Amino acid sequence: MKLKEHEEREFSELLEKYTEHPKVQRMKGFSQHGRISTFEHCHRVARWCYGVSKRLHMKVDMTALLSGAMLHDMFLYDWHTIGRMNRYHATNHAELACRNAARYCNIDEHAQHVIRSHMWPVNITKLPKTREAVLVCIGDKWCSLVETIACRRGMAKRRKKR
Ligand SMILES: [Fe+2]
Ligand SMILES: [Fe+2]
């Protein structure tokens, strides 16, 4: 998502509070899709949501949108390794991420709803009920698709070089 210069500045300023947080920084140590970290994935989703809200001139609660997007996968473990936590990763991680985000970053009820509902329709009962929650839910799926394709291409390229 291409941002204008002033949008780029505003986006970084609004997100700084979360991206600089030591617990959020820990997300850099966990892989989301291949070589893409959970931090990078969440940052991409936040950027996509911010960009779409600007392009469509949407009236949004920017704090809930950006904190929800940046912290939506703050589960803080490696979901690729086999273990008790990871067996139900797809259905459980949104709640866990929400608890971590509330505990460490003191987010409000709206941002908590954004995080809890981002895995809809996998979590069928957690329907996104606000435009911010819908944006993050769609942005997460779109960015995950882009990242998965990029990872596959990277893997194919590396295989060719061998
Ligand atoms: Fe997620
Ligand atoms: Fe995600």
Side-chain angles (χ1 to χ4, degrees):
M1 174 72 58
K2 190 120 178 75
L3 300 180
K4 293 170 187 165
E5 214 176 301
H6 73 277
E7 291 174 342
E8 198 75 67
R9 242 188 338 267
E10 184 188 58
F11 174 69
S12 297
E13 280 168 17
L14 290 170
L15 216 61
E16 204 177 10
K17 180 180 168 192
Y18 307 105
T19 52
E20 297 301 314
H21 194 290
K23 289 285 180 189
V24 179
Q25 285 279 323
R26 276 190 63 198
M27 287 159 66
K28 288 183 176 174
F30 302 113
S31 156
Q32 185 75 5
H33 300 113
R35 292 181 174 189
I36 296 161
S37 71
T38 306
F39 183 97
E40 201 183 330
H41 163 70
C42 287
H43 195 271
R44 182 171 286 111
V45 174
R47 193 184 169 82
W48 186 90
C49 290
Y50 176 86
V52 169
S53 75
K54 290 289 171 186
R55 290 297 89 78
L56 301 181
H57 304 286
M58 290 170 78
K59 274 191 181 164
V60 291
D61 172 349
M62 199 53 93
T63 304
L65 180 67
L66 292 187
S67 59
M70 189 63 219
L71 308 174
H72 80 275
D73 279 332
M74 195 188 181
F75 42 82
L76 302 176
Y77 61 82
D78 183 358
W79 67 273
H80 299 83
T81 55
I82 298 160
R84 194 167 54 90
M85 293 277 278
N86 308 356
R87 199 177 314 159
Y88 305 106
H89 175 75
T91 49
N92 288 357
H93 78 270
E95 186 57 41
L96 188 62
C98 183
R99 256 186 269 156
N100 284 339
R103 183 174 170 200
Y104 299 123
C105 301
N106 200 24
I107 55 167
D108 67 8
E109 281 292 326
H110 188 185
Q112 289 181 41
H113 168 68
V114 171
I115 298 176
R116 273 202 190 95
S117 60
H118 86 270
M119 283 304 289
W120 189 84
V122 174
N123 288 341
I124 195 75
T125 57
K126 307 284 184 206
L127 186 75
K129 289 179 182 163
T130 63
R131 64 184 67 171
E132 293 79 2
V134 171
L135 262 183
V136 172
C137 187
I138 296 170
D140 181 41
K141 280 150 192 76
W142 171 250
C143 292
S144 294
L145 179 70
V146 169
E147 288 166 4
T148 305
I149 292 169
C151 284
R152 296 255 160 97
R153 281 196 183 143
M155 276 159 64
K157 260 188 194 167
R158 283 194 292 280
R159 234 178 275 138
K160 263 189 183 173
K161 277 184 185 169
R162 271 188 229 146

